Amino acid sequence: QVQLVESGGGSVQSGGSLRLTCARSGYTYYSGWFRQAPGKEREGVAVIGRDGNIRYAESVKGRFTISQDNAKSTLYLQMNSLEPEDTAMYYCAATWANGMHMDPARFGYWGQGTQVTVSS
């Protein structure tokens, strides 16, 4: 059974930073962060494989960093230079295959989400 629990969301001003954490139980190959803003579709932010391969959405490249501690089964998302457009519910997700497509439909395991709000 795979379980994912996010933490670390909050409210910050534009230009600020937040670090999201996802505690994982159970084994999957790909883990990632997705986000969903009100009235918008869920979108991929960053994905990482057990082999260390990483993919970022263009909108967060150079600002966000995904990492994982396999020994502790923890996934992280360091978010710097936050912008109001980054405001969304952020979800940790995991899947066994095809994770680099960063397609939410390919991820079968989801956390409950953590809210990130960036004010201008």
Side-chain angles (χ1 to χ4, degrees):
Q1 179 99 14
V2 176
Q3 292 187 323
L4 307 167
V5 180
E6 304 97 333
S7 61
S11 297
V12 296
Q13 290 191 327
S14 182
S17 298
L18 284 172
R19 188 193 198 200
L20 304 184
T21 299
C22 175
R24 305 176 294 188
S25 62
Y27 181 89
T28 58
Y29 194 80
Y30 296 98
S31 297
W33 291 97
F34 293 77
R35 66 186 182 186
Q36 188 167 19
K40 294 188 176 181
E41 292 186 354
R42 191 169 296 188
E43 63 176 0
V45 174
V47 172
I48 187 169
R50 290 275 175 172
D51 58 2
N53 282 337
I54 291 173
R55 181 182 177 185
Y56 292 101
E58 288 295 324
S59 60
V60 306
K61 277 184 179 179
R63 300 188 299 124
F64 291 9
T65 302
I66 189 171
S67 61
Q68 61 187 353
D69 182 339
N70 287 327
K72 296 183 178 181
S73 293
T74 305
L75 182 71
Y76 304 98
L77 184 69
Q78 178 65 44
M79 304 185 295
N80 298 328
S81 301
L82 282 162
E83 305 167 350
E85 292 74 23
D86 296 316
T87 295
M89 184 71 78
Y90 282 71
Y91 297 90
C92 175
T95 186
W96 278 99
N98 299 314
M100 285 298 162
H101 292 282
M102 221 156 47
D103 177 356
R106 297 180 183 268
F107 284 74
Y109 303 100
W110 294 86
Q112 81 287 353
T114 185
Q115 178 68 38
V116 171
T117 302
V118 185
S119 58
S120 57

